[in-house]
């Protein structure tokens, strides 16, 4: 087990409805050792990818993105959410459906901050159905840039996001892939590294 | 002039209605040299304050807070916004009025993440009327902790937030204090360090 899988077992809480609460170290209180571990993991995984920009979506992806941007010394861009944004001359807009909030969200980036020269590493704290990741990919494509990798802290392996992104040929690296959880027994089952494709 | 004042003059844009756009380096695209400069500034300013936690509010405060938490090696907590949160057994809630969005927002932190042992450095990208800062102070007080400092990237010196916080005795350090702006001439006037109290 790696550091993040161990942390999930000790400090994560499984709630009814396949919810994994990690807000004691990942997305409300931020444990800096965990955050550094995640950023280091992505540094190593994408060391040959020629990353020149890190892209994430507000809010909880910003911590990972900032630390990674610091270590790689490349700018970070965070896409903003809006219920109402339309494509205009000054911004790229993509749609993401939130299963949690049961609504479509627009996500956008101001045009000057994504360009055709970008070799983008997309990062986020969670990957579930892949709606947010696909919206970010869409923004990079609209700008003519290239997505050279996707780094995720925790992938929910039973949801389709990871499978779709890998089928589409994206280089996806998740620090931990949770394949099953049981809130009654507080059991979390991780996908072993040798079973990943 | 310090690095941030210079950056504001070169890359900031003054818009009608006393709006200072700095999203090319501070709160949409993040310039890591600027971010490191801000975090270093707070490191020096509060080196004797015994900080053991950094607190900010989502979303754009998270980048500054994360880098500072990394440098100080202390945990970061970011307060969340909600239109509807009520005080409960599991969270502290405070109110902040948003002049930008003309509504009251609740901000909250889950109880375990603020404690009576906390010596908190509050950080944010902007300080205007001080509503967000006062809400964060309120959360720390509810937990019985101590606010040992407030670090702000850009203070709007003509609004009341900075004056109120200094009158209340808080140790407030703003990297740049803008005293006046003119969108017609794109002029930005900074408060000189010797004129600060």
């Amino acid at each position: 087990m790696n550091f993040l899988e161990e942390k999930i077992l000790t400090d994560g809480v499984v709630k009814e409805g396949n919810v994994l609460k990690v807000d004691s170290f990942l997305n409300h209180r931020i444990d800096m050792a965990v955050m550094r571990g995640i950023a280091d993991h992505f540094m190593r995984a994408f060391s040959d990818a020629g990353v020149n920009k890190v892209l994430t979506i507000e809010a909880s992806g910003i911590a990972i993105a900032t630390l990674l941007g610091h270590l790689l010394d490349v700018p970070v861009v965070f896409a903003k959410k809006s219920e109402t944004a339309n494509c205009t001359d000054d911004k790229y807009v993509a749609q993401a459906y939130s299963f949690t909030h049961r609504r479509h969200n627009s996500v956008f980036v101001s045009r000057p901050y994504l360009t055709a020269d970008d070799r983008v590493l997309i990062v986020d704290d969670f990957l579930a159905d892949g709606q947010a990741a696909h919206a970010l990919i869409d923004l990079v494509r609209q700008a003519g840039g290239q997505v050279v990798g996707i780094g995720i802290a925790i992938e929910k392996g039973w949801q389709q996001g990871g499978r779709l992104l890998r089928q589409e040929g994206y280089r996806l690296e998740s620090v931990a892939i949770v394949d099953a959880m049981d809130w009654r027994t507080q059991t979390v089952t991780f996908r072993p590294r040798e079973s990943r494709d």
Side-chain angles (χ1 to χ4, degrees), chain A:
Chain A
M1 269 196 295
N2 68 29
F3 72 97
L4 185 58
E5 294 165 335
E6 282 174 8
K7 189 75 178 174
I8 291 168
L9 288 187
T10 54
D11 292 347
V13 178
V14 182
K15 299 267 191 182
E16 207 172 344
N18 267 340
V19 173
L20 179 60
K21 261 184 71 116
V22 290
D23 62 3
S24 68
F25 57 92
L26 193 64
N27 49 19
H28 187 11
R29 178 184 179 276
I30 297 170
D31 181 309
M32 291 311 308
V34 170
M35 204 50 62
R36 278 189 288 263
I38 294 168
D40 284 341
H41 187 106
F42 294 152
M43 285 273 286
R44 285 194 306 272
F46 298 105
S47 61
D48 61 341
V51 176
N52 63 12
K53 191 167 283 179
V54 173
L55 176 67
T56 189
I57 185 165
E58 61 180 11
S60 49
I62 298 175
I64 295 171
T66 301
L67 199 50
L68 190 58
H70 168 59
L71 295 174
L72 292 170
D73 201 19
V74 301
V76 170
V77 172
F78 58 91
K80 302 191 176 201
K81 293 175 191 169
S82 160
E83 285 175 54
T84 55
N86 293 309
C87 258
T88 60
D89 285 352
D90 63 348
K91 54 179 177 281
Y92 301 110
V93 180
Q95 304 301 322
Y97 181 74
S98 166
F99 288 93
T100 313
H101 300 102
R102 289 183 192 165
R103 66 167 181 232
H104 283 276
N105 276 316
S106 297
V107 302
F108 68 90
V109 168
S110 292
R111 282 185 183 248
Y113 310 143
L114 286 175
T115 77
D117 297 325
D118 286 344
R119 297 179 57 83
V120 177
L121 177 55
I122 291 173
V123 299
D124 210 350
D125 54 346
F126 270 97
L127 174 67
D129 53 84
Q131 290 281 319
H134 278 104
L136 294 176
I137 290 168
D138 189 358
L139 295 175
V140 175
R141 279 191 182 156
Q142 287 178 47
Q146 197 181 336
V147 175
V148 297
I150 302 170
I152 298 292
I154 304 175
E155 177 183 336
K156 291 181 166 179
W158 70 90
Q159 290 191 248
Q160 65 176 359
R163 184 170 44 79
L164 289 177
L165 290 167
R166 289 183 182 96
Q167 279 171 1
E168 290 158 14
Y170 290 102
R171 189 169 162 184
L172 168 63
E173 175 64 29
S174 301
V175 185
I177 302 180
V178 177
D179 268 338
M181 303 191 296
D182 188 331
W183 66 276
R184 289 179 220 83
T185 56
Q186 288 296 309
T187 314
V188 180
T189 309
F190 297 104
R191 189 174 307 175
R193 184 144 280 274
E194 61 273 17
S195 308
R196 300 186 184 189
D197 42 287

